[in-house]
Amino acid sequence: MAGTAFARQVGNLPADMTSFVGRRHELAEIRRLLSVSRLVTLTGVGGVGKTRLALRAAFEQHRAFDEVWLADLGTLDDPALVGETVAATVGLRDQTAGCPVRALSDFLASRRTLLVLDNCEHLLDAVAALADTLLRGIPELRILATSRQSLGIMGERVMRVAPLPVPEPDGPRTLKALERYDAVTLFMERAAAVLPGFTLDDGNREDVATLCRRLDGIPLAIELAAVRLRTLSVSGLVERLDDRYRWLTGGSRTAVPRQRTLHALIDWSFQLLSPAERTLWTRMSIFPGHFDLEAAEAVCSGDGIAQEDVLDLLDAVVDKSLLLREEHTGDVRYRLLETLRAFARAQEGGPDERPALARRHRDFYLRLTGKAAAEWFGRRQVAWYTRLKLEQDNLRAALEFCLREPGEAAAGLRMATDLHRPHWLPNSLFIQGRHWIGRMLEAEPGRTEARARALCGAAWLAFAQGDAPAGEPLLEEAADLAREVDDPVSLSLACLVSGKAAHNRGDFEGAVPLLEEAVTLLTAAGDGFAVAAALLALADATGCLGDPVRAGDLFERGLALSADHEESWCRAWTLAIYAIHLWRQGEHERATAAARESLLLGRAFDDRLSLATAVEVLAWILSAEGHHPKAARMLGAADAIARTVGVSTLRMGRYVEQHEECVAALESQLGAKRLARAMQQGGRLTLEQAVAEALGDEQAGEEPETAASAASPLTARELEIAELIAQGLSNKEIAAALVVAQRTAEGHVEHILAKLGYTSRAQIAAWMTAQKAEHDPGG
């Protein structure tokens, strides 16, 4: 494509025989960036579509320039020829006398020009020098470059080109929903070119979604996969994804060699890395999902890479588009696309390297979970909750290592047990926690203190699910083993779980002495978390036995203990149950304050059971005070929140009666139909809307205007802005459309990204598309 000009001569635009799919936001962003900067570089992983996007952007803007020139540097090997090649591109040939760069500057000086420099990554220094010289000397020049790495010169604006949006694993699967994903659209169009008449249908939609997702939305990989439909079905393609580099070949014969196979494409980028960067990159493939700098330094350093060098090497690999930088809840993390991870693993040094890396990976997360367990009942509680939630893929991989490798089950048992308090419980991951502790108990049958403590944790989780038949034998074995190995800590934990089990089944007289003993033993052991849990159950049981004064003292003691340790999770639960106690005593104002404080604290943990409990209590209070429609909405909201973790609010044990009494009272006031309608309205609220309404925000719980907003965490204004983002508008264009300041529009976009947990506008656009599809009656 070298030597191609278009603008006044649009017909000379390089022929593209295939359609251009998606990228509305990216095109709008390129327009914006070129309006504020004279050098814009599109970076991204190989095959992501940088060249095609640059050509499309240039084509759409050609009327704004006198000339638009494209210089393809992909086949050029000699950096010394960059200036001459670009000069030849614009028609300057045989410049034997003088410097080609000077001649190029003179030629372009009187023209308003857009110069597209394509495929710059292997000639970075030479291209950067040329661009800097031209931009300094030609005021009307704009340069749009494509490279897997930024040019790194003053004034450059870098736009990372993300892969095409792909369906999420648990996203909507209607045909209309899938068709709105650009990756799916691209695959279907290329598939139809190979097999005329090929369409998306109920028989292939799951496989198409899986294929696009596992190919990371990389256009070239998707196109190469579509070519294989000449001999394979879509399901056959999915089955071969683990060996993608062997069969994703057969690209266009007119493409440069590195664009004809997936392996050649990635290998081109790999060869541009320094030896140390290659080593770090291959080692990072041990992480199954995203990871942070601390993990990379611990797992990937050593054997030629100093820990203090990891940051600079990692930064270089990010800049060369072989590693994604993402932000999750304010933390910077890194991720290898699955396609890149598979290539990196194939570059490992020998048969012993991967097992060694896997062990270092496990060791790091074993230390991490041990520290989280030790610091859980303290001021870093929210930070540990957030960190472990982000690390779920890595935790799973570390636990699997312990089961896979001989002699490692004991470490796995310790790790699964350490995760009980800071991870399984606050996330309501009862099934997952029982699964891992159970597998480790099977793999490590030794009669040890660690086993006794793990049995207590497994029993606790079983009782939390209301599964007493499974919990009782676990608890019995835990108590027997604790006595056998003479472990007072395990014995005190078994006493606590026994008391909680009796409390849960309504045996308050049996629970009180067990819980009192547990408080004494656990206080002596210095286990603040377990003491707080015992005090909570003891306070509630005492109140149920008709001693409200002592119960109140015990609740206050538990709250004081949490305050002393600056922790929030136990405090949120204590406040929720304390609110029930205060409601029983007719102290509605104090009960409301306690429930709302519980919500404020529990919101940081996304603990659905704690939140559902507090919302339900507020429903009871609202009903008792005569606010019947609001009470019904809160009942519906509480039930919907609890069902997200497989529990039906408080319809178990001692709370069934209160729940049913509230329902009966509301039905007598509202009638069955109005009650059902109000509860349905509450059930349609998002978690954020339900909590906001429970906290007294009168507008938060208003019936949403549209079906899409009913299931959305965004406000009406944010939904409006998300729609404009999906249409490809820049922040400046959004501000103009809504008649607000650009800074205001930017703030809204930042809030949307934070609420949805995304890092790019393209993800917002894909989310908005999916929302529309999910609520489209014809979907």
Side-chain angles (χ1 to χ4, degrees):
M1 289 188 284
T4 303
F6 52 101
R8 302 308 180 198
Q9 303 167 331
V10 179
N12 288 341
L13 176 68
D16 187 350
M17 304 303 292
T18 58
S19 62
F20 185 84
V21 174
R23 302 296 197 190
R24 288 182 301 173
H25 160 67
E26 288 89 341
L27 289 168
E29 184 67 3
I30 291 171
R31 286 197 304 273
R32 186 188 73 81
L33 290 174
L34 283 173
S35 71
V36 298
S37 175
R38 296 174 58 212
L39 170 61
V40 176
T41 303
L42 308 184
T43 65
V45 65
V48 80
K50 299 182 294 295
T51 295
R52 187 170 291 180
L53 178 61
L55 292 178
R56 184 72 174 194
F59 179 85
E60 290 189 354
Q61 297 181 72
H62 72 271
R63 291 183 177 84
F65 297 91
D66 297 323
E67 294 178 341
V68 179
W69 295 97
L70 167 67
D72 183 359
L73 306 176
T75 58
L76 186 65
D77 295 323
D78 188 350
L81 297 179
V82 168
E84 183 177 324
T85 301
V86 176
T89 293
V90 303
L92 294 176
R93 301 184 183 278
D94 299 323
Q95 300 290 327
T96 55
C99 171
V101 176
R102 186 178 300 114
L104 182 61
S105 296
D106 292 341
F107 180 77
L108 298 176
S110 61
R111 296 167 172 83
R112 180 171 173 78
T113 304
L114 174 62
L115 178 60
V116 182
L117 301 178
D118 193 29
N119 296 308
C120 303
E121 58 273 349
H122 60 304
L123 303 164
L124 213 59
D125 291 340
V127 174
L130 174 67
D132 187 58
T133 299
L134 294 178
L135 290 169
R136 288 178 185 274
I138 311 173
E140 293 298 309
L141 176 66
R142 294 285 192 277
I143 295 177
L144 178 60
T146 74
S147 174
R148 300 185 192 185
Q149 184 177 2
S150 60
L151 300 186
I153 64 176
M154 188 70 68
E156 178 186 28
R157 299 293 293 268
V158 178
M159 190 184 100
R160 297 198 180 277
V161 181
L164 295 174
V166 299
E168 295 295 328
D170 54 353
R173 283 292 189 271
T174 64
L175 294 178
K176 283 195 174 183
L178 292 179
E179 287 170 352
R180 289 185 170 99
Y181 286 98
D182 289 342
V184 174
T185 300
L186 177 64
F187 178 78
M188 298 311 298
E189 290 192 4
R190 302 303 186 258
V194 174
L195 293 177
F198 184 88
T199 60
L200 187 69
D201 57 36
D202 290 332
N204 63 27
R205 61 181 179 177
E206 290 292 337
D207 286 326
V208 169
T210 299
L211 182 75
C212 293
R213 185 176 63 253
R214 291 198 58 195
L215 290 177
D216 299 305
I218 298 175
L220 181 65
I222 292 170
E223 292 176 347
L224 291 173
V227 170
R228 285 296 188 178
L229 288 177
R230 290 183 299 220
T231 53
L232 292 169
S233 65
V234 183
S235 61
L237 292 175
V238 173
E239 290 172 3
R240 287 163 176 78
L241 283 175
D242 289 338
D243 196 18
R244 66 192 69 190
Y245 288 103
R246 186 171 68 82
W247 59 267
L248 285 185
T249 60
S252 171
R253 289 189 177 92
T254 62
V256 293
R258 67 173 181 272
Q259 296 285 349
R260 295 177 191 170
T261 72
L262 188 61
H263 185 278
L265 176 78
I266 305 303
D267 188 59
W268 170 263
S269 293
F270 183 68
Q271 297 304 324
L272 295 175
L273 298 175
S274 70
E277 291 165 359
R278 292 181 193 177
T279 299
L280 180 71
W281 188 63
T282 57
R283 289 179 183 177
M284 288 189 295
S285 68
I286 198 63
F287 295 101
H290 48 70
F291 55 93
D292 63 7
L293 175 62
E294 180 189 3
E297 289 175 333
V299 177
C300 301
S301 63
D303 299 325
I305 295 181
Q307 189 172 96
E308 58 268 23
D309 292 336
V310 169
L311 175 58
D312 288 339
L313 292 171
L314 192 149
D315 181 66
V317 176
V318 169
D319 191 40
K320 292 175 181 176
S321 303
L322 284 173
L323 185 69
L324 298 181
R325 177 196 182 277
E326 301 175 341
E327 289 196 24
H328 296 265
T329 61
D331 294 326
V332 174
R333 297 179 69 83
Y334 307 92
R335 179 170 65 90
L336 277 172
L337 295 174
E338 183 178 344
T339 299
L340 298 180
R341 187 181 301 112
F343 183 94
R345 286 179 176 175
Q347 311 307 311
E348 290 171 351
D352 296 332
E353 183 170 6
R354 186 154 195 83
L357 278 172
R359 183 176 298 278
R360 285 159 66 175
H361 177 274
R362 191 284 312 271
D363 289 346
F364 174 78
Y365 286 101
L366 180 62
R367 292 192 299 271
L368 187 77
T369 54
K371 190 175 182 182
E375 296 182 359
W376 173 244
F377 195 69
R379 60 183 178 82
R380 297 196 65 231
Q381 196 174 60
V382 174
W384 277 119
Y385 165 81
T386 303
R387 175 72 182 275
L388 293 181
K389 195 168 184 178
L390 288 173
E391 300 288 5
Q392 287 193 77
D393 288 340
N394 288 305
L395 297 176
R396 188 181 303 112
L399 290 166
E400 287 172 348
F401 173 89
C402 294
L403 290 171
R404 183 175 67 247
E405 294 296 315
E408 298 296 337
L413 185 64
R414 186 165 75 254
M415 185 175 182
T417 305
D418 283 341
L419 286 169
H420 172 252
R421 296 180 182 184
H423 190 55
W424 310 133
L425 276 180
N427 284 292
S428 300
L429 296 173
F430 305 138
I431 295 175
Q432 194 177 133
R434 290 175 65 184
H435 166 80
W436 285 112
I437 296 177
R439 291 186 68 186
M440 296 302 173
L441 286 169
E442 290 178 5
E444 177 52 48
R447 309 290 287 175
T448 62
E449 294 178 358
R451 180 177 181 83
R453 295 174 192 184
L455 286 164
C456 288
W460 187 327
L461 293 173
F463 287 122
Q465 280 190 297
D467 189 0
E472 287 168 358
L474 291 169
L475 182 57
E476 184 178 352
E477 183 184 352
D480 290 344
L481 182 55
R483 286 187 286 267
E484 177 184 323
V485 298
D486 192 23
D487 178 23
V489 174
S490 297
L491 199 58
S492 62
L493 289 173
C495 185
L496 166 61
V497 178
S498 296
K500 284 177 61 65
H503 170 261
N504 286 351
R505 65 176 177 265
D507 179 11
F508 305 123
E509 290 184 355
V512 166
L514 287 168
L515 292 168
E516 287 176 335
E517 183 182 2
V519 169
T520 300
L521 294 173
L522 292 165
T523 300
D527 189 341
F529 173 83
V531 172
L535 283 171
L536 172 55
L538 178 59
D540 191 46
T542 301
C544 290
L545 289 175
D547 192 347
V549 175
R550 186 181 181 227
D553 291 342
L554 289 167
F555 278 118
E556 293 292 346
R557 181 178 166 188
L559 293 173
L561 179 63
S562 291
D564 288 344
H565 287 79
E566 300 179 67
E567 75 85 48
S568 303
W569 187 75
C570 290
R571 183 176 179 84
W573 266 109
T574 301
L575 284 164
I577 306 304
Y578 194 15
I580 297 175
H581 171 79
L582 293 169
W583 168 75
R584 286 173 176 153
Q585 307 309 309
E587 298 187 53
H588 292 178
E589 185 175 344
R590 290 182 64 197
T592 298
R596 286 179 170 173
E597 185 181 350
S598 174
L599 285 174
L600 290 171
L601 294 171
R603 200 162 50 175
F605 299 95
D606 192 30
D607 184 341
R608 302 302 175 90
L609 287 182
S610 168
L611 295 171
T613 301
V615 172
E616 170 112 3
V617 177
L618 287 168
W620 299 351
I621 297 169
L622 287 167
S623 176
E625 294 181 342
H627 305 296
H628 303 120
K630 290 182 181 179
R633 284 169 61 83
M634 288 294 91
L635 277 184
D639 192 53
I641 295 169
R643 287 183 186 279
T644 62
V645 290
V647 178
S648 181
T649 58
L650 305 183
R651 299 179 196 176
M652 63 175 72
R654 64 205 179 284
Y655 296 126
V656 174
E657 184 178 348
Q658 288 94 326
H659 178 89
E660 297 302 332
E661 285 179 356
C662 183
V663 170
L666 290 173
E667 185 172 348
S668 68
Q669 295 293 325
L670 300 174
K673 288 185 178 180
R674 282 188 66 197
L675 172 61
R677 185 164 58 251
M679 290 184 67
Q680 287 171 357
Q681 290 174 355
R684 287 197 296 267
L685 297 173
T686 65
L687 177 63
E688 182 174 299
Q689 290 169 335
V691 170
E693 183 171 342
L695 290 173
D697 185 342
E698 297 299 329
Q699 295 182 342
E702 289 180 358
E703 190 68 8
E705 296 180 2
T706 66
S709 63
S712 168
L714 306 183
T715 65
R717 175 61 105 180
E718 288 166 345
L719 279 169
E720 185 178 10
I721 290 173
E723 172 60 25
L724 295 176
I725 290 172
Q727 293 174 14
L729 273 65
S730 68
N731 287 345
K732 184 177 181 181
E733 291 167 329
I734 291 172
L738 300 179
V739 197
V740 297
Q742 184 171 337
R743 182 173 296 178
T744 301
E746 290 169 351
H748 280 303
V749 173
E750 290 175 2
H751 289 152
I752 294 169
L753 288 168
K755 282 186 177 182
L756 298 180
Y758 290 157
T759 57
S760 74
R761 297 166 72 97
Q763 289 173 301
I764 296 175
W767 177 85
M768 196 65 195
T769 297
Q771 289 294 300
K772 285 194 232 172
E774 187 175 1
H775 298 287
D776 187 336

